[in-house]
C-alpha cells in the first residue's frame, strides 16, 4: 500500500480542516482518522497538541485505546459536518446554540489553566501568562479539536463557508477572499481540473 499523502489544511479554518480529514484527492476516499496512528499523525500535522504531550499520551495508551479515541473523533467530525452543512451559506444566529450541545459537553470536560512562565523572544527573556491544559488521558486529545470547532462557530461568518465546486470533491472552506468569490478547495487541485475541463470543452466545440 502506498503511503497516504499529507492531510489537507486548505480551509482557512482549523475547525473546517478537521472536516476535511476525510477526502477524495483522486479516486479513492482517504480517512486520515481511520485509526489511532492516523489520528495521532493528523493531530501532529495540525499542530494541535504539544509534541511532548502527544508523545507521552501515545506511550501511556493501552492497546486499542487510541483507536477508540479515533472512533470518537470520527463521530465528532460527522456530527460537526451535519451542523456546518445545516447552517452554512447564511449567518449563524444564537438559535444555533440548541444544536451545539455535543460540542459544549466536550468543552466542559476541558482542564485548561493559566500560569506565569519564562519566555524568550526577539525582545529577550521575560515572564508571560500562558494558557495550557492537563493531558490526563488519550481522550484529552479531543479537547483541542473541540476548541478549534468552537472557534469556527464563534469566529467564522457561516455565510462565507463554502463547499468546493469540484466534481466529487467533498472539501469545505471559509471564503476569506475580498470579493467572496472562492470556488475551489485549491487552484492546484480542483481549480486546475476545472480549467483543463473547460479547455477540453472549448476544443471540442471548435472542432
Amino acid at each position: 500500500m502506498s503511503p497516504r499523502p499529507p492531510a489537507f489544511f486548505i480551509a482557512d479554518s482549523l475547525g473546517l480542516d478537521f472536516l476535511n480529514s476525510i477526502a477524495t484527492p483522486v479516486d479513492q476516499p482517504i480517512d486520515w482518522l481511520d485509526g489511532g496512528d492516523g489520528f495521532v499523525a493528523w493531530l501532529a500535522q495540525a499542530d494541535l497538541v504539544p509534541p511532548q504531550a502527544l508523545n507521552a499520551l501515545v506511550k501511556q495508551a493501552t492497546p486499542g485505546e487510541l483507536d477508540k479515541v479515533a472512533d470518537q473523533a470520527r463521530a465528532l467530525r460527522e456530527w460537526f459536518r451535519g451542523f456546518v452543512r445545516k447552517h452554512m451559506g447564511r449567518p449563524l444566529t444564537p438559535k444555533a446554540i440548541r444544536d451545539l450541545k455535543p460540542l459544549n459537553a466536550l468543552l466542559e470536560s476541558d482542564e485548561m489553566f493559566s500560569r506565569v512562565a519564562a519566555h524568550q523572544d526577539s525582545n529577550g527573556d521575560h515572564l508571560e501568562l500562558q494558557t495550557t491544559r492537563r493531558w490526563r488521558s488519550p481522550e484529552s486529545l479531543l479537547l483541542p479539536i473541540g476548541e478549534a470547532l468552537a472557534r469556527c462557530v464563534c469566529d467564522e461568518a457561516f455565510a462565507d463557508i463554502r463547499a468546493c465546486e469540484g466534481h466529487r470533491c467533498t472539501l469545505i472552506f471559509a471564503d476569506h477572499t475580498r470579493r467572496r468569490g472562492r470556488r475551489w478547495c485549491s487552484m492546484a487541485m480542483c481549480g486546475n481540473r476545472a480549467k483543463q475541463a473547460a479547455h477540453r470543452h472549448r476544443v471540442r466545440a471548435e472542432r
Side-chain angles (χ1 to χ4, degrees), residues 61-119:
T62 59
E65 190 172 15
L66 288 171
D67 289 333
K68 292 181 180 178
V69 179
D71 290 343
Q72 293 176 271
R74 290 194 301 274
L76 178 65
R77 180 181 64 193
E78 296 316 306
W79 165 80
F80 191 60
R81 188 185 310 282
F83 176 87
V84 170
R85 289 199 174 278
K86 177 180 178 181
H87 295 283
M88 64 189 285
R90 61 182 186 274
L92 196 62
T93 70
K95 292 182 180 179
I97 196 71
R98 295 175 296 188
D99 297 331
L100 291 169
K101 289 181 181 180
L103 178 56
N104 279 333
L106 174 61
L107 295 172
E108 288 168 6
S109 68
D110 205 345
E111 290 191 72
M112 295 188 73
F113 62 94
S114 298
R115 64 182 176 186
V116 178
H119 181 71

Side-chain angles (χ1 to χ4, degrees), residues 17-207:
D17 282 323
F18 178 59
L19 295 186
N20 295 337
S21 60
I22 183 170
T24 307
V26 184
D27 297 318
Q28 298 297 320
I30 297 177
D31 190 344
W32 281 270
L33 310 183
D34 60 354
D37 291 343
F39 177 54
V40 169
W42 186 87
L43 286 170
Q45 290 180 67
D47 198 24
L48 273 174
V49 183
Q52 185 176 358
L54 185 59
N55 292 335
L57 287 172
V58 170
K59 289 180 180 179
Q60 79 175 55
T62 59
E65 190 172 15
L66 288 171
D67 289 333
K68 292 181 180 178
V69 179
D71 290 343
Q72 293 176 271
R74 290 194 301 274
L76 178 65
R77 180 181 64 193
E78 296 316 306
W79 165 80
F80 191 60
R81 188 185 310 282
F83 176 87
V84 170
R85 289 199 174 278
K86 177 180 178 181
H87 295 283
M88 64 189 285
R90 61 182 186 274
L92 196 62
T93 70
K95 292 182 180 179
I97 196 71
R98 295 175 296 188
D99 297 331
L100 291 169
K101 289 181 181 180
L103 178 56
N104 279 333
L106 174 61
L107 295 172
E108 288 168 6
S109 68
D110 205 345
E111 290 191 72
M112 295 188 73
F113 62 94
S114 298
R115 64 182 176 186
V116 178
H119 181 71
Q120 185 179 49
D121 56 24
S122 58
N123 296 319
D125 296 332
H126 58 92
L127 299 178
E128 71 172 13
L129 185 64
Q130 296 180 348
T131 300
T132 186
R133 59 170 42 92
R134 294 182 176 88
W135 305 94
R136 295 191 182 276
S137 71
E139 283 193 346
S140 63
L141 293 173
L142 297 171
L143 297 174
I145 295 175
E147 184 179 358
L149 302 187
R151 291 188 183 280
C152 178
V153 168
C154 296
D155 297 344
E156 292 296 338
F158 264 58
D160 297 329
I161 293 179
R162 310 262 193 269
C164 178
E165 296 181 18
H167 178 61
R168 295 181 62 190
C169 186
T170 59
L171 299 182
I172 294 174
F173 55 84
D175 185 358
H176 293 163
T177 61
R178 180 177 297 179
R179 297 186 178 181
R180 299 299 187 263
R182 182 177 172 184
R183 300 175 59 193
W184 317 110
C185 56
S186 79
M187 288 305 299
M189 292 193 301
C190 290
N192 187 50
R193 292 170 189 165
K195 284 185 176 181
Q196 292 176 351
H199 175 71
R200 290 193 297 268
H201 179 75
R202 285 194 301 270
V203 171
R204 286 196 298 267
E206 290 172 358
R207 290 176 180 173

